[in-house]
Amino acid sequence: MANISCSSKGISIFLFLCIFFHSSALAAKTRHFKWAVEYMHWSPDGLENVVMGINGQFPGPTIRAKAGDTLHIELTNKLHTEGVVIHWHGIRQFGTPWADGTASISQCAINPGETFVYRFKVDKAGTYFYHGHYGMQRSAGLYGSLIVDVAESQKEPFHYNGEFNLLLSDWWHKSSHEQEVDLSSNPFRWIGEPQTLLINGRGQYNCSLAGKFSKSSINPPCQLRGNEQWAPQILHVQPNKTYRLRVASTTALASLNLAIGNHKMVIVEADGNYVQPFSVEDMDIYSGESYSILFTTDQNPSNNYWISISVRGREPKTPQALTILNYSPNSPSKLPTSPPPMPPLWNNYTHSKAFSSKILALMGSPKPPSNYDRRIILLNTQNRIDGYIKWSINNVSLTLPSTPYIGSIKYGLKNAFDLKSPPENFPLDYNVVKPAKNQNSTYGSGVYTLRFNTSVDVILQNANALAENVSEIHPWHLHGHDFWVLGYGEGRFTKEDEKKFNLKNPPLRNTAVIFPYGWTALRFVADNPGVWAFHCHIEPHLHMGMGVVFAEGVQRLRKIPNEALGCGLTAKLFMNKKGN
Amino acid sequence: MANISCSSKGISIFLFLCIFFHSSALAAKTRHFKWAVEYMHWSPDGLENVVMGINGQFPGPTIRAKAGDTLHIELTNKLHTEGVVIHWHGIRQFGTPWADGTASISQCAINPGETFVYRFKVDKAGTYFYHGHYGMQRSAGLYGSLIVDVAESQKEPFHYNGEFNLLLSDWWHKSSHEQEVDLSSNPFRWIGEPQTLLINGRGQYNCSLAGKFSKSSINPPCQLRGNEQWAPQILHVQPNKTYRLRVASTTALASLNLAIGNHKMVIVEADGNYVQPFSVEDMDIYSGESYSILFTTDQNPSNNYWISISVRGREPKTPQALTILNYSPNSPSKLPTSPPPMPPLWNNYTHSKAFSSKILALMGSPKPPSNYDRRIILLNTQNRIDGYIKWSINNVSLTLPSTPYIGSIKYGLKNAFDLKSPPENFPLDYNVVKPAKNQNSTYGSGVYTLRFNTSVDVILQNANALAENVSEIHPWHLHGHDFWVLGYGEGRFTKEDEKKFNLKNPPLRNTAVIFPYGWTALRFVADNPGVWAFHCHIEPHLHMGMGVVFAEGVQRLRKIPNEALGCGLTAKLFMNKKGN
């Protein structure tokens, strides 16, 4: 970066140059991309498979932009029979809700052979990512990183000498198509645990980088030339420097724990928002979350160190993903001298909760409204509908309509979705720590219509699943907004719990976890005209109905691009009016 | 059927009854169906897999109608991310070209969650079938039978005591999605031979019904309870009766040979047209063809007999498909006393050609025009385009546009497809028995526009493929018409060959084969306003570009249903006009 000091005390010509430099530096850019989505053969973990790639890459290309830039992405669908959309996870899409990339909600899926332009502003620096949001195309590998740097004139509130980016995912050998069929079957078939965890799309299924530390013969040491599609990306560092590690999780299922052997990590950013820096030995990251971590290479420089990713919250049947922190001038193939970090026990939720509770907004961050205008309590339950296993919210299992809400709400269509608003709460006598007495539920496509610019509380209430003594982690992700996480608690949320809310420095996030049998309280301002998904970021859970839809200020939208509405009842509406 | 004699010499009340009976018998029906397409677990050959089913059935439900009936099929797409269409193979769709079920040609693919109504008349009795016509959804198992009986007042020109229907297909254990990726890859990956041949969706992969006749241990005898999804459908017959066997092939690849052990077969119908009956020991059937066969149960009634389906024209790596002709009162599980019929050698094309040349129109069938107004010669070659292996016709490899031709032609859209007509012929110096000197080709989406009501000759010219000494069988299927097969020949077609054309009693077909290094001459009248695919019915060949598009009288079409045009540039056209 050019380091020109612009002082007001210079001579006039220098001042002119300064102004010129400043304005050109400040001028936000429009960054153009041409992307084609297609299936391709790939070996994410050493076993050849089919992935959904972009421009021949898996994961898709990393986008790097500066805050204030406009991204202009021409996305061509080169699949043969499938539609496609891409969601820009964490980007709020102020003024461009049709670019949010959620099929059935913000746009029609892009048909095979067609091109759709995603054009939107990245208004806030941070660590983001993008991914498919149609069927289970995220599970098929449709994802990549989106990094927004601070604007040229701005500075991060911390210093570092270098930077790395890790996009975490999980991988099944069964195709996402077949997974879809499994999850939609009666009798139900669960997809099981992932075969492999991937770091930047790379994992090792048939071997282990840490093979020499393993007592079992199941995972022999990896024989790598280094140019394999599944060879780990090594992090090359100099001793005694500080590095920023960006990390985001786009897993379909797995909750993860990240550690860097022997190194402390200082968390400085979460979901594109600065947090009060705090130091940990290991950290949890749930699907849909992103973080920036600072670490200093202050350990014995003659060694290399493990970076490990492990499963949390589910009995781990998937090996740790590993890569190497390579201190210069050591050989990158020199293995660390000790075994990879041991993650906390998978069901040690105390550890997870302790981590979550440490995440607080950096001083000076926007504060939440002190009151809420509306509070919606969302109970999640596992259910049976006609024998099919589903997830429901307040007893409604979300089924998306074929006409996107953004069009059917804007044009007041009557038959596009359930016009009745879904329940604001659940029965008083529901026992969240026991299996439901009545495990029935219903399908629904209703919308929570939020009054524009009001303050909305959402209490996510976890409960027992179908089987006794089972309650799972669910990371909930909100489109179009950040929310403040006001607090976490155990058991059923009560009015009393409100007193414990953190209104002083709650962190702004776009994803928040609910712990087993617990609740999580969120607050946000409904200030972004559009229709927004709010859902469990676990792909099979969303597929099974675990989500809701918020709509706000849709009538304020002027022109929705035709391209977003050329399907279902909106297409019909326009074609009939023309009287073809 | 009620056998009431209606004589004009009756008393008046009887006459009235007669008229009433006649008119109600003649009144064609509209038959309503509600179908949902979805993927489901199924074991077509004993190995569990995923198939594309209709209403929970594989193959899809058999439609049975009478000539003159109208079919009204509400097809709902219950796939998660894929579009779908269904083609009614052999039905000419007079006046309803938008119901032909070809994505990109006659309609927009039906989006997930949407319903499209196929409404069309079945005007001619015969043995037909239906199948997916988008991507490789036929390979995924989207097919079923469509049987049209003669109208109530009509009679078939032959007699029989009972009837069976066999729909033949081939099955791969690799999903059609993965096959698509393989075929579209560089380096190219061929899908290989099918694992199993299916009769009415049933085959035996891990065992053989005829296991006791097999010397190898690869195919142990099948252990069947009879209620398996893959158990063969047994044909139960009485001795000394005549049966009609309807048979149609919807294979993705395999050319087949059918035989009934010890029984002669008399061919009476081909592709919904009566033929001059002739008798054979075995018969070939190519993908896209259908036949009716009469056989008489005149063999030793204390035995059962094999019905066998074997691969023709490709080195057979797929076991015979078998089922049993069960003479009453024998047990259906009593195996025939001798081994299954031995098919002719796979590359005994003399045998195949002899069979094809026996197929002649039944006396009294419509005759072809004695002259042609236009002759189009279509050379098929295997090519490389940018390293990708493709098939081309006159050096154009067909790539379908995202806007269906029927709409873009009707509304004169300029950018929907290549407006230049593809070549009518191929260079004089092209040597059809050698690999091409220049193996390059180009992609194209041009259309052959046929003058309405003119007589069109198509000469299908086969050639050497990429490798030396390789030329394959290609069964070509025409939508919207039957054509007369005027003749077959060897080598390059010349003007001289015209003299050998059969203009006296050529058979009417909708599918005709070209033999290796040979040509096949067809004639049809362009009398059906619409846009019609004409293509090799081998699914991977079509996928690789082996087809052309004919358009005729499109301006005569009045109202094309909006539902067929709600995608691509036609959707855009209508939406822009509305000025949303």
Side-chain angles (χ1 to χ4, degrees):
Chain A
M1 204 193 301
N3 190 3
I4 301 178
S5 142
C6 283
S7 145
S8 61
K9 291 177 188 166
I11 52 169
S12 66
I13 180 78
F14 184 64
L15 190 63
F16 171 75
L17 274 173
C18 272
I19 291 162
F20 179 78
F21 178 80
H22 253 152
S23 60
S24 80
L26 286 171
K29 273 188 189 166
T30 299
R31 295 176 192 266
H32 289 261
F33 302 90
K34 280 198 180 202
W35 283 4
V37 175
E38 60 191 322
Y39 284 109
M40 57 190 195
H41 294 111
W42 203 267
S43 302
D45 63 356
L47 253 68
E48 197 193 60
N49 220 309
V50 167
V51 304
M52 204 176 265
I54 297 173
N55 293 356
Q57 298 176 44
F58 169 76
T62 294
I63 292 181
R64 190 112 205 177
K66 286 193 200 304
D69 285 353
T70 295
L71 303 185
H72 178 106
I73 299 143
E74 292 177 39
L75 187 75
T76 299
N77 179 354
K78 292 210 171 177
L79 310 173
H80 296 294
T81 52
E82 279 180 73
V84 77
V85 294
I86 289 186
H87 168 57
W88 315 92
H89 187 109
I91 307 300
R92 290 169 296 173
Q93 303 287 358
F94 274 119
T96 54
W98 47 79
D100 193 43
T102 44
S104 290
I105 300 176
S106 67
Q107 70 168 113
C108 296
I110 309 163
N111 287 328
E114 303 263 341
T115 298
F116 181 88
V117 175
Y118 287 100
R119 190 182 168 96
F120 56 90
K121 205 165 177 177
V122 288
D123 62 337
K124 191 157 59 77
T127 305
Y128 306 104
F129 58 106
Y130 60 84
H131 60 78
H133 213 295
Y134 190 35
M136 288 178 57
Q137 294 182 342
R138 178 157 61 93
S139 293
L142 185 55
Y143 44 73
S145 292
L146 198 175
I147 309 293
V148 182
D149 288 302
V150 291
E152 200 74 58
S153 59
Q154 303 292 313
K155 278 187 177 166
E156 301 275 14
F158 41 80
H159 293 277
Y160 50 96
N161 305 107
E163 173 178 334
F164 301 98
N165 176 49
L166 304 184
L167 181 61
L168 310 180
S169 58
D170 42 8
W171 186 248
W172 279 255
H173 293 155
K174 196 179 253 198
S175 76
S176 61
H177 293 119
E178 215 172 321
Q179 291 180 43
E180 276 186 350
V181 180
D182 285 357
L183 294 169
S184 312
S185 290
N186 180 8
F188 182 72
R189 302 194 194 182
W190 176 238
I191 58 166
E193 299 302 311
Q195 273 68 63
T196 311
L197 301 178
L198 307 180
I199 303 175
N200 290 341
R202 293 154 177 269
Q204 296 79 39
Y205 174 69
N206 268 334
C207 66
S208 168
L209 298 180
K212 73 164 184 173
F213 297 105
S214 164
K215 272 161 216 135
S216 81
S217 60
I218 300 165
N219 282 322
C222 292
Q223 304 296 328
L224 284 160
R225 294 187 311 274
N227 59 351
E228 293 86 355
Q229 286 172 341
W230 48 283
Q233 279 180 0
I234 308 286
L235 279 61
H236 303 285
V237 293
Q238 302 290 334
N240 295 310
K241 302 277 181 191
T242 295
Y243 291 90
R244 177 181 193 165
L245 182 63
R246 295 177 184 269
V247 55
S249 173
T250 183
T251 55
L253 174 64
S255 302
L256 302 173
N257 184 270
L258 164 71
I260 310 175
N262 296 53
H263 291 71
K264 279 200 192 307
M265 302 185 289
V266 176
I267 317 291
V268 292
E269 179 221 336
D271 298 358
N273 294 291
Y274 297 121
V275 301
Q276 200 61 47
F278 64 99
S279 171
V280 288
E281 305 279 333
D282 65 84
M283 61 170 290
D284 289 336
I285 176 165
Y286 303 99
S287 179
E289 293 188 334
S290 64
Y291 290 98
S292 283
I293 295 147
L294 300 181
F295 67 93
T296 301
T297 48
D298 53 6
Q299 296 300 302
N300 181 348
S302 62
N303 289 338
N304 290 337
Y305 298 88
W306 293 113
I307 295 176
S308 70
I309 310 290
S310 318
V311 172
R312 299 284 285 128
R314 305 182 70 90
E315 207 173 336
K317 292 171 182 161
T318 314
Q320 269 185 326
L322 296 172
T323 188
I324 282 171
L325 186 69
N326 168 228
Y327 271 61
S328 177
N330 301 335
S331 160
S333 57
K334 181 183 177 184
L335 289 188
T337 50
S338 42
M342 274 281 276
L345 260 185
W346 70 270
N347 55 0
N348 182 351
Y349 294 114
T350 311
H351 189 88
S352 300
K353 289 169 189 171
F355 175 74
S356 291
S357 69
K358 281 182 194 158
I359 302 169
L360 298 168
L362 185 65
M363 211 181 294
S365 302
K367 287 194 178 173
S370 49
N371 279 304
Y372 61 91
D373 297 306
R374 179 175 176 187
R375 176 173 286 169
I376 302 170
I377 301 181
L378 301 178
L379 171 77
N380 72 258
T381 53
Q382 205 178 23
N383 305 86
R384 282 199 179 83
I385 306 182
D386 305 330
Y388 292 88
I389 294 187
K390 299 287 168 188
W391 286 97
S392 303
I393 305 303
N394 293 348
N395 227 36
V396 178
S397 184
L398 182 64
T399 51
L400 292 172
S402 48
T403 307
Y405 291 105
I406 198 170
S408 45
I409 294 176
K410 167 83 178 164
Y411 292 101
L413 301 184
K414 298 278 176 255
N415 304 310
F417 62 91
D418 302 341
L419 292 177
K420 205 180 146 222
S421 182
E424 301 272 309
N425 207 332
F426 61 97
L428 260 173
D429 62 350
Y430 191 93
N431 187 345
V432 300
V433 298
K434 289 279 173 202
K437 280 174 199 160
N438 180 355
Q439 301 188 328
N440 265 354
S441 172
T442 49
Y443 295 114
S445 59
V447 166
Y448 292 93
T449 306
L450 309 178
R451 214 145 60 77
F452 189 64
N453 259 335
T454 55
S455 163
V456 179
D457 271 15
V458 172
I459 313 294
L460 289 165
Q461 177 67 58
N462 211 340
N464 198 98
L466 278 174
E468 213 148 353
N469 295 320
V470 175
S471 183
E472 297 179 12
I473 281 178
H474 303 285
W476 277 70
H477 170 63
L478 178 59
H479 292 232
H481 310 76
D482 288 336
F483 48 67
W484 290 272
V485 184
L486 303 185
Y488 302 91
E490 311 286 326
R492 183 175 180 141
F493 175 83
T494 65
K495 190 82 181 145
E496 281 301 292
D497 289 317
E498 206 178 290
K499 292 176 189 158
K500 292 175 277 177
F501 281 180
N502 172 12
L503 297 175
K504 210 187 97 206
N505 59 354
L508 270 170
R509 307 288 305 256
N510 60 54
T511 304
V513 66
I514 43 174
F515 292 106
Y517 299 111
W519 56 262
T520 299
L522 315 174
R523 183 167 294 175
F524 67 95
V525 179
D527 57 359
N528 192 2
V531 188
W532 308 106
F534 179 48
H535 62 90
C536 177
H537 208 260
I538 292 177
E539 184 97 319
H541 287 185
L542 173 58
H543 195 75
M544 293 162 71
M546 200 172 201
V548 298
V549 176
F550 293 142
E552 68 210 44
V554 175
Q555 296 314 326
R556 292 169 178 260
L557 297 173
R558 273 181 297 183
K559 166 91 181 141
I560 301 172
N562 283 344
E563 290 69 21
L565 302 179
C567 67
L569 297 176
T570 37
K572 204 169 177 176
L573 172 78
F574 299 139
M575 294 181 81
N576 285 345
K577 284 204 176 157
K578 190 257 161 191
N580 155 40
Chain B
M1 204 193 298
N3 190 5
I4 302 178
S5 143
C6 283
S7 144
S8 60
K9 291 178 190 165
I11 51 166
S12 66
I13 181 78
F14 185 65
L15 190 64
F16 172 77
L17 274 171
C18 272
I19 292 162
F20 180 77
F21 178 80
H22 253 153
S23 61
S24 79
L26 287 170
K29 273 190 187 163
T30 298
R31 295 176 192 266
H32 289 261
F33 302 90
K34 281 198 180 202
W35 284 3
V37 175
E38 60 190 322
Y39 283 109
M40 56 190 196
H41 295 112
W42 203 268
S43 302
D45 63 356
L47 253 68
E48 197 192 61
N49 220 308
V50 167
V51 304
M52 204 176 266
I54 297 173
N55 293 355
Q57 297 177 44
F58 169 76
T62 294
I63 292 181
R64 190 112 204 178
K66 287 194 199 302
D69 285 353
T70 294
L71 302 185
H72 178 106
I73 299 141
E74 292 178 37
L75 187 76
T76 299
N77 179 354
K78 292 211 173 177
L79 310 173
H80 296 294
T81 52
E82 280 181 72
V84 77
V85 294
I86 289 186
H87 168 57
W88 315 92
H89 187 109
I91 307 300
R92 289 169 297 173
Q93 304 287 358
F94 276 118
T96 53
W98 47 79
D100 192 43
T102 44
S104 290
I105 300 176
S106 67
Q107 70 169 115
C108 297
I110 309 162
N111 287 328
E114 305 263 340
T115 298
F116 181 88
V117 176
Y118 288 100
R119 190 182 168 96
F120 57 89
K121 206 165 175 176
V122 289
D123 62 336
K124 192 158 58 77
T127 305
Y128 306 104
F129 58 106
Y130 60 85
H131 59 79
H133 214 296
Y134 190 34
M136 287 178 59
Q137 293 181 344
R138 178 157 61 92
S139 293
L142 184 56
Y143 44 73
S145 291
L146 168 50
I147 309 292
V148 182
D149 288 303
V150 291
E152 200 74 58
S153 58
Q154 302 291 312
K155 279 187 175 164
E156 300 275 13
F158 41 80
H159 293 278
Y160 50 96
N161 306 108
E163 173 177 335
F164 300 98
N165 177 49
L166 304 183
L167 181 62
L168 310 179
S169 58
D170 44 7
W171 186 248
W172 280 255
H173 294 155
K174 196 180 251 197
S175 75
S176 61
H177 292 118
E178 215 172 321
Q179 291 180 43
E180 276 186 349
V181 179
D182 284 359
L183 294 168
S184 312
S185 289
N186 181 8
F188 181 72
R189 302 194 194 182
W190 176 239
I191 58 166
E193 300 301 311
Q195 273 68 63
T196 311
L197 301 178
L198 307 180
I199 303 175
N200 290 341
R202 293 154 177 271
Q204 297 78 39
Y205 174 71
N206 268 335
C207 68
S208 168
L209 297 181
K212 73 164 184 175
F213 299 104
S214 165
K215 272 160 215 133
S216 81
S217 59
I218 301 165
N219 282 323
C222 292
Q223 304 295 328
L224 283 161
R225 293 187 313 272
N227 59 352
E228 293 87 354
Q229 286 172 341
W230 50 283
Q233 279 178 0
I234 309 284
L235 280 61
H236 304 284
V237 293
Q238 302 290 332
N240 296 310
K241 302 277 181 190
T242 296
Y243 291 90
R244 178 181 193 165
L245 183 63
R246 295 178 184 269
V247 54
S249 172
T250 184
T251 55
L253 173 64
S255 302
L256 302 173
N257 184 269
L258 163 71
I260 310 176
N262 296 51
H263 290 71
K264 280 200 192 308
M265 303 185 288
V266 176
I267 316 291
V268 292
E269 180 222 335
D271 299 357
N273 294 292
Y274 298 121
V275 301
Q276 200 62 48
F278 65 99
S279 170
V280 288
E281 305 279 331
D282 66 83
M283 61 170 291
D284 289 336
I285 176 164
Y286 303 98
S287 179
E289 293 188 333
S290 64
Y291 289 98
S292 283
I293 296 147
L294 300 181
F295 67 93
T296 300
T297 47
D298 53 7
Q299 297 299 303
N300 181 348
S302 61
N303 289 338
N304 290 336
Y305 298 88
W306 292 114
I307 295 176
S308 69
I309 310 290
S310 317
V311 172
R312 298 285 284 130
R314 306 182 69 89
E315 208 173 336
K317 292 171 183 161
T318 314
Q320 271 184 324
L322 296 171
T323 187
I324 283 172
L325 185 70
N326 168 226
Y327 271 60
S328 177
N330 302 334
S331 160
S333 57
K334 180 183 176 185
L335 288 189
T337 50
S338 42
M342 274 282 277
L345 261 184
W346 71 270
N347 55 0
N348 183 351
Y349 294 113
T350 312
H351 189 88
S352 300
K353 289 169 189 171
F355 176 74
S356 291
S357 68
K358 283 182 193 157
I359 303 169
L360 299 168
L362 185 65
M363 211 180 296
S365 301
K367 286 193 177 174
S370 51
N371 279 303
Y372 61 90
D373 297 307
R374 179 176 176 186
R375 177 172 286 168
I376 301 170
I377 301 181
L378 300 178
L379 171 77
N380 72 258
T381 53
Q382 204 178 24
N383 305 85
R384 282 199 179 82
I385 306 181
D386 305 331
Y388 292 88
I389 294 187
K390 299 288 168 187
W391 287 96
S392 303
I393 305 305
N394 294 348
N395 227 35
V396 178
S397 183
L398 181 64
T399 50
L400 292 172
S402 48
T403 308
Y405 292 105
I406 198 170
S408 45
I409 295 176
K410 168 83 178 163
Y411 292 101
L413 301 184
K414 298 278 177 254
N415 303 310
F417 61 91
D418 301 342
L419 291 178
K420 207 181 145 221
S421 182
E424 302 272 310
N425 206 332
F426 60 97
L428 261 173
D429 63 349
Y430 191 94
N431 187 345
V432 300
V433 298
K434 290 279 172 202
K437 281 174 197 157
N438 180 355
Q439 302 188 328
N440 265 353
S441 172
T442 48
Y443 296 116
S445 59
V447 167
Y448 293 93
T449 306
L450 309 177
R451 214 145 59 79
F452 188 64
N453 258 334
T454 56
S455 163
V456 179
D457 270 17
V458 172
I459 313 295
L460 288 166
Q461 176 68 59
N462 211 339
N464 198 97
L466 278 174
E468 213 148 351
N469 296 320
V470 175
S471 183
E472 298 179 13
I473 280 177
H474 302 286
W476 277 70
H477 171 63
L478 177 59
H479 292 232
H481 310 76
D482 287 337
F483 48 67
W484 290 273
V485 184
L486 303 186
Y488 302 90
E490 311 286 325
R492 183 176 181 140
F493 176 83
T494 66
K495 190 79 181 149
E496 282 300 292
D497 290 315
E498 207 178 288
K499 293 176 188 159
K500 292 174 278 178
F501 281 1
N502 173 12
L503 297 175
K504 208 186 98 208
N505 59 354
L508 269 169
R509 307 288 306 254
N510 60 55
T511 303
V513 66
I514 43 173
F515 293 107
Y517 299 112
W519 55 261
T520 299
L522 316 174
R523 183 167 294 174
F524 67 96
V525 179
D527 58 359
N528 192 1
V531 188
W532 309 106
F534 180 47
H535 60 91
C536 177
H537 209 260
I538 292 177
E539 184 98 319
H541 288 184
L542 173 58
H543 195 76
M544 292 161 73
M546 200 171 201
V548 298
V549 176
F550 294 142
E552 67 209 45
V554 175
Q555 295 314 327
R556 291 170 178 260
L557 297 174
R558 272 180 299 184
K559 165 91 181 141
I560 301 172
N562 284 344
E563 290 69 21
L565 303 179
C567 66
L569 297 177
T570 37
K572 203 169 176 175
L573 172 77
F574 300 137
M575 294 182 81
N576 285 345
K577 283 203 176 155
K578 191 257 160 192
N580 155 39

